Amino acid sequence: MAKILKSKIFWFFSPVWLIPLVMFILWFFAPKIVWNVVIIDKSSSSKDGNEHISLFWLLNQKRLSKSGEIPYQVEKDYWGFFPKENEKFWIHGLEKLSSSQIGSLSKQANMAYFADTYGIYKQEWFARIQGQQSEFGMLYGGLSSQDLVFLRLMNEQKKLVVAEFNTIGSPTSSANRKQFEELYRMKWSGWTARFFDNLDTTINLEIPRWMIKNYQNTHAQKWNFKKAGIAFVHEQSGRVVILEDQQHLINPLPYVQSGELGQIKFGLPASIKYPFWFDIIEPDLNQNTIVSQFIIQSNAQGRYLLRKNGIPDVIPAVLMAKNGYAPFYYFSGDFCDNPVQMNTSYFKGIDAFQFLFFNDNDPMERKSFFWKFYRPLMNHILDEANQKLQKPIDQDALITE
């Protein structure tokens, strides 16, 4: 009995148990930094905030907060669509603000982050909540005129802006899209793409029905794919192009590759898989630099199909404005949407144990992308922006909800 008790006491005070405690203490007593970030998410369909949770994880981990004491909260500290109980919701976007309020917000903000503007559609929202069909149409979404006013003001003040996949995709109007493209010297090709680990519709129920219908309409043939592959969708024409493993692809998984700039400046891996949505943009390289790019590993037949449809096999993934321009980054993928747990952000140095949180052998998992790519990328962007901060923010003047 004495030996068992001694063993338990030894185990309780062993370094293994002390490590997480020390990590939490180091995080808890780390200095807090006031950092006012305006986060736009028009597609948050649950209180978990999956569309923007990765950014909130970093803000909390780095002790960046709205004030000296109040941390950012995933379920409330953003502008956009707020789900409530049953079919109820609340919309609180920049569209609610006057021109003078938008001007004040831009002066107070250190940074803007456009996580998603795709929005919420009636047929998806009410069917999910009520389990029944609803009328078609959009509840809320798209890059608005007020968003653009805010972006222009941020640009004029040379303040950091980060935007992601679908900021200017559907349902953003072509006029608003054009203004964004002119402001940041980039252009959306109209193509979006996603990897599917199985294109067999009898097995993979996540393949959208509209995608299958559009493919059959534009090609006048049945959807008869059985392996993994990449689907490319064109917004204006509705055209769907499928590259299937073995027939068109050497490796069906898209990879994000980073050269010397990405690896040295941002601490990114040379290559990492990316199994989610991304868009194809065409940057003006006089104003922007490509930090990372998607690589589609196609064979001769696949390259022919891509060229035939005007789709490149090397696609910008991370775009950065060059020195002299207002700080701006565009992520061509849904980079902020990763299934991470907020509770891991309360431990200093948790990235040393990142291997415990994902299975890199699973082609569809996205946690490894968060730990190996998104975290170091945004960590550097936030650190660099903090270093350039000239003066403290007037907290008394902040707009409150």
Side-chain angles (χ1 to χ4, degrees):
M1 184 67 181
K3 287 184 178 181
I4 295 174
L5 181 61
K6 185 177 180 180
S7 176
K8 288 184 177 180
I9 293 173
F10 174 80
W11 177 252
F12 182 80
F13 288 102
S14 70
V16 174
W17 283 99
L18 292 176
I19 288 174
L21 177 61
V22 171
M23 291 168 66
F24 174 77
I25 291 172
L26 290 173
W27 172 86
F28 186 81
F29 287 103
K32 298 174 183 176
I33 301 172
V34 176
W35 183 252
N36 186 17
V37 52
V38 175
I39 300 159
I40 309 294
D41 184 359
K42 303 185 181 185
S43 306
S44 188
S45 59
S46 72
K47 292 184 178 181
D48 295 336
N50 281 344
E51 298 290 342
H52 56 257
I53 193 170
S54 297
L55 176 63
F56 279 74
W57 190 101
L58 269 170
L59 294 172
N60 190 61
Q61 232 268 329
K62 297 177 72 62
R63 302 296 264 161
L64 301 177
S65 59
K66 295 186 296 182
S67 71
E69 298 298 327
I70 305 174
Y72 283 95
Q73 299 178 56
V74 172
E75 69 279 6
K76 62 178 289 187
D77 290 319
Y78 64 95
W79 298 80
F81 187 90
F82 294 81
K84 290 184 174 294
E85 298 298 327
N86 299 320
E87 74 275 10
K88 295 181 181 179
F89 57 88
W90 180 49
I91 294 174
H92 187 68
L94 300 190
E95 299 80 13
K96 299 280 187 179
L97 303 183
S98 66
S99 296
S100 61
Q101 287 177 314
I102 292 176
S104 297
L105 186 65
S106 72
K107 290 178 182 178
Q108 298 152 14
N110 300 118
M111 170 188 177
Y113 196 111
F114 279 70
D116 203 312
T117 68
Y118 178 75
I120 303 291
Y121 287 77
K122 293 177 182 178
Q123 63 269 27
E124 296 172 349
W125 176 255
F126 292 112
R128 182 181 67 87
I129 300 298
Q130 300 172 343
Q132 60 187 25
Q133 293 296 320
S134 172
E135 62 178 303
F136 284 78
M138 184 171 47
L139 279 174
Y140 178 61
L143 189 72
S144 68
S145 299
Q146 291 83 355
D147 295 330
L148 282 164
V149 170
F150 176 69
L151 284 170
R152 287 194 199 94
L153 291 171
M154 292 290 285
N155 189 68
E156 290 170 3
Q157 298 170 71
K158 291 190 177 297
K159 292 186 174 181
L160 173 63
V161 171
V162 178
E164 288 199 1
F165 161 78
N166 219 74
T167 294
I168 55 175
S170 177
T172 294
S173 69
S174 58
N176 285 355
R177 178 183 304 133
K178 185 177 180 181
Q179 291 182 55
F180 183 96
E181 291 172 336
E182 291 175 348
L183 183 63
Y184 295 112
R185 299 299 176 190
M186 53 168 282
K187 185 178 180 181
W188 180 40
S189 67
W191 288 102
T192 58
R194 183 188 168 178
F195 166 79
F196 291 94
D197 62 341
N198 196 319
L199 290 168
D200 189 334
T201 56
T202 63
I203 297 174
N204 190 349
L205 301 181
E206 287 192 8
I207 301 173
R209 289 186 175 274
W210 59 262
M211 184 183 293
I212 300 167
K213 182 180 179 180
N214 284 8
Y215 176 85
Q216 293 177 161
N217 288 341
T218 55
H219 294 274
Q221 63 185 45
K222 291 185 177 180
W223 181 288
N224 195 32
F225 303 102
K226 302 297 180 183
K227 302 183 181 69
I230 304 172
F232 295 86
V233 182
H234 195 268
E235 182 197 39
Q236 285 82 14
S237 66
R239 187 172 182 81
V240 176
V241 176
I242 303 295
L243 267 62
E244 191 175 19
D245 189 21
Q246 297 179 28
Q247 183 178 355
H248 307 104
L249 298 166
I250 299 169
N251 185 339
L253 264 172
Y255 276 77
V256 177
Q257 290 188 359
S258 302
E260 187 174 315
L261 174 64
Q263 292 179 54
I264 295 176
K265 180 179 175 69
F266 296 95
L268 303 177
S271 181
I272 186 169
K273 69 178 187 294
Y274 184 74
F276 211 40
W277 287 102
F278 60 96
D279 57 15
I280 300 173
I281 62 165
E282 302 163 0
D284 180 347
L285 296 180
N286 291 316
Q287 180 169 322
N288 298 294
T289 299
I290 297 174
V291 177
S292 305
Q293 52 193 10
F294 293 105
I295 303 295
I296 307 300
Q297 301 178 55
S298 55
N299 57 25
Q301 190 172 348
R303 286 191 295 273
Y304 169 78
L305 195 57
L306 289 172
R307 284 196 299 269
K308 180 181 177 182
N309 289 279
I311 303 171
D313 55 3
V314 178
I315 301 160
V318 177
L319 201 65
M320 175 183 71
K322 290 183 176 180
N323 290 335
Y325 294 93
F328 169 74
Y329 291 85
Y330 184 79
F331 304 158
S332 295
D334 216 355
F335 287 2
C336 199
D337 184 355
N338 297 289
V340 295
Q341 299 296 322
M342 281 298 295
N343 56 13
T344 58
S345 69
Y346 294 90
F347 299 90
K348 184 80 170 178
I350 189 66
D351 52 292
F353 300 91
Q354 61 180 262
F355 61 91
L356 298 173
F357 303 114
F358 58 84
N359 175 16
D360 213 0
N361 295 320
D362 180 1
M364 293 302 292
E365 66 82 27
R366 304 200 309 276
K367 291 182 180 179
S368 62
F369 185 84
F370 168 80
W371 289 100
K372 294 182 179 182
F373 193 94
Y374 183 86
R375 190 196 60 79
L377 175 62
M378 278 306 304
N379 194 56
H380 176 87
I381 291 172
L382 290 169
D383 283 346
E384 190 172 66
N386 262 305
Q387 290 170 7
K388 293 179 179 178
L389 188 62
Q390 297 295 318
K391 56 184 179 180
I393 302 301
D394 181 6
Q395 292 298 309
D396 294 332
L398 288 178
I399 294 175
T400 56
E401 296 179 4

